[in-house]
Amino acid sequence: SQTIHQWPATLVQPVGSPLSLECTVEGTSNPNLYWYRQAAGRGLQLLFYSVGIGQISSEVPQNLSASRPQDRQFILSSKKLLLSDSGFYLCAWSVLEAGGLYFGPGTRLTVL
Amino acid sequence: AQSVAQPEDQVNVAEGNPLTVKCTYSVSGNPYLFWYVQYPNRGLQFLLKYITGDNLVKGSYGFEAEFNKSQTSFHLKKPSALVSDSALYFCAVSAMDTGRRALTFGSGTRLQVQP
């Protein structure tokens, strides 16, 4: 069966510091991978998605970036965090376009 | 552009009563529709989906949803609510004929089931 991992689970970072969040998927090949951000415990905003290694589509211009160095690895990064980057970051995967998304456990990021 | 509206921020229902969480959508073309549930500080869990076929879709934990094309709605329902159903519920949509390959989510509805 498929499993998706995210780490760390929680993170507290000062403004201006770098960020690296990692997501890996097990039990599937060539998944579509996604990064969403959830602010204030409500709506989800799609940040990036990837249909293959090295292929990244950005939905919202901002100081975040994403990379996919391996088939089942998706990384969210920032060179300098802003206060507004605080939120709950969710990684998700899908294989079939009609199959919906399957989410990881999330990373709670607090920028102080 | 595709969009989802969940008109109620919160729904309150007594345990044992039926519940409905509303969702309407807007897409170009035929929709894929989904419901997810989120418990505090957890990722989203898939409940059910509509792709094609019967308008009434049955999912996990006794939930079901009815697709209504003329009203562009996909309301989530359960005949008898449990206290453990209390959580945040998200409706999501994707268009069949788009290459975007990602879901657009509604703003979420908090379901509170009172004992």
Side-chain angles (χ1 to χ4, degrees):
Chain A
S1 64
Q2 299 87 0
T3 309
I4 180 168
H5 303 279
Q6 282 187 250
W7 63 91
T10 60
L11 190 60
V12 180
Q13 292 285 98
V15 170
S17 64
L19 173 73
S20 181
L21 302 182
E22 189 163 343
C23 169
T24 59
V25 180
E26 296 177 357
T28 186
S29 297
N30 196 31
N32 294 337
L33 295 172
Y34 308 82
W35 280 110
Y36 281 85
R37 178 170 61 199
Q38 185 179 28
R42 295 306 288 260
L44 285 86
Q45 178 187 36
L46 177 65
L47 301 176
F48 301 95
Y49 71 94
S50 171
V51 300
I53 295 174
Q55 301 178 61
I56 309 295
S57 296
S58 174
E59 290 289 304
V60 182
Q62 54 203 325
N63 69 318
L64 299 173
S65 62
S67 62
R68 185 169 177 174
Q70 300 180 44
D71 180 45
R72 290 170 288 179
Q73 184 185 30
F74 204 23
I75 297 172
L76 182 69
S77 304
S78 174
K79 293 182 179 178
K80 286 186 176 182
L81 283 169
L82 306 173
L83 287 173
S84 57
D85 291 325
S86 293
F88 193 46
Y89 287 81
L90 291 159
C91 181
W93 70 273
S94 71
V95 175
L96 297 175
E97 192 166 335
L101 301 182
Y102 297 90
F103 286 84
T107 295
R108 172 80 55 196
L109 171 66
T110 303
V111 182
L112 301 175
Chain B
Q2 55 198 41
S3 65
V4 177
Q6 292 181 244
E8 302 154 315
D9 281 347
Q10 181 157 326
V11 170
N12 298 309
V13 63
E15 188 174 31
N17 283 1
L19 69 88
T20 298
V21 182
K22 296 179 181 177
C23 170
T24 58
Y25 66 90
S26 174
V27 292
S28 300
N30 293 315
Y32 297 158
L33 293 158
F34 305 85
W35 276 102
Y36 289 83
V37 60
Q38 185 181 32
Y39 297 98
N41 294 311
R42 304 290 294 275
L44 276 69
Q45 296 178 31
F46 172 82
L47 275 181
L48 51 79
K49 66 181 178 184
Y50 171 83
I51 304 301
T52 187
D54 289 342
N55 290 341
L56 186 63
V57 178
K58 294 187 183 297
S60 307
Y61 313 120
F63 283 93
E64 58 189 28
E66 186 168 10
F67 171 62
N68 187 317
K69 188 172 183 178
S70 63
Q71 297 185 6
T72 62
S73 68
F74 190 56
H75 301 330
L76 181 70
K77 300 180 181 183
K78 187 173 182 181
S80 179
L82 300 172
V83 173
S84 57
D85 292 330
S86 298
L88 188 57
Y89 290 81
F90 289 95
C91 181
V93 68
S94 179
M96 290 186 185
D97 54 358
T98 180
R100 192 166 178 266
R101 305 181 188 227
L103 299 184
T104 298
F105 286 84
S107 56
T109 298
R110 191 167 301 282
L111 174 66
Q112 194 69 40
V113 181
Q114 285 111 11

